Amino acid sequence: METDFDYVIVGAGCGGLSLAVHMLEAGVRRRVLIVDPRTSFPNDRTWCFYDVTDHPFADAVTHQWRRWRVVDDEREVVRGSLRFAYQHLASADFYAAALDRIRGAETCELRLGCRVGQVIDHGSHVVVSTDVGPVTARLVFDSRPSEARVFPADSAETREVNLLQHFVGWTVETKDPFFDPDTATLMDFRTSQRGGIHFTYTLPFSSRRALVEDTHFSGHRLEAKQYEANLRRHLDEAGAGDFVITHTERGAIPMTTAVFEQRPSPRVYRIGVAGGLARPATGYAFLAIQRFSKALAEMLASASPDAAPQPPAPRSQRTTLLDRCFLSHLDQHPAEAPAIFTRLFDRVPPEALIPFLSETGSFADEFHVMRSLPTLPFAQSMLRALHGLVRRRGLSDMSNLSHLSDLLDDLPPRAQP
Ligand SMILES: Cc1cc2nc3c(=O)[nH]c(=O)nc-3n(C[C@H](O)[C@H](O)[C@H](O)COP(=O)(O)OP(=O)(O)OC[C@H]3O[C@@H](n4cnc5c(N)ncnc54)[C@H](O)[C@@H]3O)c2cc1C
C-alpha cells in the first residue's frame, strides 16, 4: 500500500533524533517524518558517558575527565584512566548537531509543534493520529514515555524491582575557586541515606563552575524544595562559599528489572528509554541509544522497504541477569549502597569497570566485577535473579534450572559486606 512516509519517528529527543541521524549515516534512503510537540530545543539535560563507543555526536562533546572519585563516610576512592575518559555532552549541542544533519537531508521532514495521539497498526501500514490530522507509514518508531512493560510492574509473582533515579542539578558559579576541574565526583554518599540511596554528583567545568546534582535511587520523586535544600546543604558543608545558580536541570529515569514492551505490534517499535534502553542498574541510556540506533538503522538499510525487521535486543542476556541481581540487591539492602559502590571503584581496575558500566564489558570484566562484590550476599541475589527470570519466562519446569529453589533454600543467612 502507498503510504505518506516510509517511517514515522515519534519524538525528537535523544532516541528519535539519534535514530534519524543513524539512518542517514547508514544510507537509509526512505521518506522519514519526525514529529514532536516541542517547538524549541533548549539545554534541558546533560549527557555523560565513557568514550567506549563511536557515535556521530563525538564532535559535540565539550568536557571530559580522566579522573573520577566515589566517596562515603569511610573513604574516598579516586581512580583514573589514560584509556577512557568520562565525557560530557550538553543536550543543546546534541540537538544542534542532530538537527543540522537532519535538516540537510532531503529524505527527512521535521514537524514540530505537533502532538501524536493514537498509533494503530493495520497490518500492511500504520496510521499515526496527530493534532493536525493522520499520517500513514510503513513503520513507526515511538519514543514517547511509556509505562508499558511485558511483565507488569505490580506482579508479585515476578518480583520486579521498580526504582527511579531522580535528581535535580544546579550549574553553579562560586565567587572563589573551589572545584577541582580535573576530577568528576560520580557519587558522594556523605548525605542522609534515610529515604533510600542518596548521593551528590559533581561535574566541575572549571575551578569556579560545576554541575552539582542531588541524586536518589528510590521509589518516588521528592518535592523540588527537598532536592534544593540538599544541594544547598551539600555546597555549604563542602565549603563552596558564595555561589550563584546559572542553570537547573531535573529528571527521573526508570531503574527497573521489568521488561519493556519493545514492539507493541509488528510495525510499531518503541525506542529510547520507552524501549528499555536505560540501563536498569545505572539509569545511563545515551550510549545504549547510540548502539541500538546504529544496529537498527543498518538492519533497515539492508532490508526491503516494506520489511519489518526484528529490533536489536536492548542488552545481552548476561547483562540483564547481572543488572537484575545488582538492582534486586540494592533494592533489598539500600543501606549497603555506599559500601558497595566504593568497593566496586576501589577493587575493579578502570579498564574492566568502565566497559562493564558501559555495557561493552567482556566476560572477564564481568567476572572481575562480580569477584569484587561481597560473595555470599551476591550469590544469593544472583540465584534469586536467575530464579525470577526462570519464573517470569515460564521455564520453571526445565530440568536444568528447577534446582534453583532448592539451592536458595539451602543458602545460609546473609552476611554483611
Ligand atoms: C536530566 C536528564 C539527564 C540525563 N543524563 C544522562 C546521562 O548523563 N547519561 C545517560 O546515559 N543518560 C542520561 N539520561 C537518560 C537518557 O539518556 C535521557 O532521558 C534521554 O533523553 C532519553 O531519550 P528518549 O528519546 O528516550 O527521551 P527524550 O529525549 O525525553 O525524548 C522523548 C521525546 O518525545 C516527545 N514526545 C512526548 N510526547 C509526545 C507526543 N505525544 N507526540 C510526539 N512526541 C512526543 C518529547 O517532547 C521528547 O522530545 C538523562 C535523562 C535526563 C532526564
Side-chain angles (χ1 to χ4, degrees):
M1 180 192 155
E2 198 50 42
T3 51
D4 300 325
F5 293 90
D6 292 305
Y7 306 145
V8 169
I9 296 178
V10 182
C14 184
L17 294 178
S18 296
L19 180 59
V21 169
H22 279 281
M23 281 186 190
L24 294 171
E25 297 279 304
V28 176
R29 291 202 51 81
R30 314 247 157 86
R31 299 157 303 150
V32 179
L33 173 69
I34 308 165
V35 189
D36 198 302
R38 63 163 88 207
T39 52
S40 64
F41 290 87
N43 201 24
D44 57 359
R45 59 200 60 186
T46 296
W47 282 296
C48 280
F49 41 81
Y50 292 97
D51 58 343
V52 296
T53 298
D54 289 339
H55 57 81
F57 308 102
D59 288 346
V61 165
T62 51
H63 283 84
Q64 63 176 28
W65 297 267
R66 291 206 174 269
R67 203 161 59 204
W68 42 85
R69 64 183 199 133
V70 174
V71 192
D72 70 3
D73 288 333
E74 310 284 313
R75 61 193 160 155
E76 174 186 46
V77 177
V78 182
R79 290 288 177 269
S81 170
L82 289 176
R83 192 164 142 212
F84 299 117
Y86 190 60
Q87 298 191 314
H88 164 271
L89 173 55
S91 59
D93 295 332
F94 164 86
Y95 296 137
L99 293 172
D100 196 42
R101 183 83 169 86
I102 289 164
R103 286 184 170 131
E106 56 190 26
T107 49
C108 287
E109 181 180 331
L110 188 61
R111 211 171 275 177
L112 299 178
C114 181
R115 182 174 298 276
V116 168
Q118 281 192 319
V119 173
I120 298 179
D121 189 336
H122 289 272
S124 60
H125 67 285
V126 186
V127 177
V128 179
S129 314
T130 78
D131 48 16
V132 293
V135 284
T136 56
R138 295 174 196 273
L139 301 179
V140 172
F141 304 97
D142 192 348
S143 69
R144 287 174 297 173
S146 166
E147 292 298 317
R149 309 281 189 270
V150 176
F151 299 99
D154 58 357
S155 162
E157 178 70 10
T158 53
R159 300 186 206 152
E160 302 303 345
V161 178
N162 281 291
L163 296 177
L164 275 180
Q165 179 174 152
H166 50 104
F167 50 90
V168 168
W170 284 345
T171 302
V172 296
E173 293 211 13
T174 55
K175 188 160 158 264
D176 300 314
F178 168 70
F179 300 104
D180 169 4
D182 296 327
T183 311
T185 300
L186 302 181
M187 296 173 139
D188 183 343
F189 287 103
R190 292 172 298 175
T191 185
S192 165
Q193 303 293 314
R194 260 174 293 157
I197 300 168
H198 178 200
F199 58 90
T200 315
Y201 169 82
T202 303
L203 298 179
F205 302 120
S206 72
S207 61
R208 293 182 52 237
R209 194 167 75 87
L211 170 68
V212 187
E213 281 186 1
D214 184 56
T215 308
H216 304 251
F217 298 170
S218 66
H220 303 282
R221 294 184 200 218
L222 308 178
E223 284 181 48
K225 63 179 184 212
Q226 291 175 275
Y227 302 100
E228 287 162 11
N230 290 336
L231 283 168
R232 212 165 274 289
R233 191 177 319 112
H234 173 81
L235 287 161
D236 284 350
E237 286 176 4
D242 293 340
F243 63 86
V244 289
I245 303 161
T246 58
H247 182 74
T248 300
E249 71 175 51
R250 49 179 49 87
I253 308 168
M255 295 176 76
T256 176
T257 58
V259 176
F260 284 67
E261 190 180 41
Q262 230 197 337
R263 200 175 177 190
S265 68
R267 293 189 174 274
V268 179
Y269 301 70
R270 285 198 215 282
I271 59 169
V273 168
L277 292 176
R279 184 162 184 190
T282 64
Y284 281 61
F286 184 83
L287 289 185
I289 288 174
Q290 300 313 314
R291 287 189 289 260
F292 175 90
S293 302
K294 182 171 193 286
L296 182 57
E298 285 170 357
M299 282 178 181
L300 294 170
S302 58
S304 71
D306 201 39
Q310 179 67 25
R315 59 192 54 82
S316 72
Q317 295 271 20
R318 233 170 48 216
T319 308
T320 303
L321 180 64
L322 288 175
D323 276 27
R324 195 176 171 81
C325 160
F326 197 70
L327 202 58
S328 305
H329 191 84
L330 289 182
D331 185 48
Q332 284 178 20
H333 314 290
E336 292 176 10
I340 288 171
F341 281 105
T342 43
R343 188 169 163 147
L344 203 58
F345 278 85
D346 189 26
R347 296 198 180 176
V348 185
E351 283 63 34
L353 183 59
I354 289 166
F356 168 77
L357 292 174
S358 311
E359 303 185 62
T360 56
S362 63
F363 182 70
D365 298 332
E366 287 162 3
F367 182 68
H368 229 313
V369 168
M370 288 310 285
R371 224 179 40 178
S372 78
L373 297 169
T375 314
L376 186 57
F378 270 92
Q380 285 175 298
S381 295
M382 176 58 87
L383 285 174
R384 284 199 184 88
L386 262 171
H387 189 56
L389 275 183
V390 170
R391 286 165 69 107
R392 143 174 129 173
R393 290 184 182 168
L395 301 176
S396 48
D397 56 345
M398 281 178 66
S399 56
N400 58 337
L401 294 166
S402 59
H403 60 284
L404 283 173
S405 312
D406 304 338
L407 275 174
L408 269 175
D409 292 342
D410 288 347
L411 280 169
R414 218 171 49 78
Q416 289 303 307

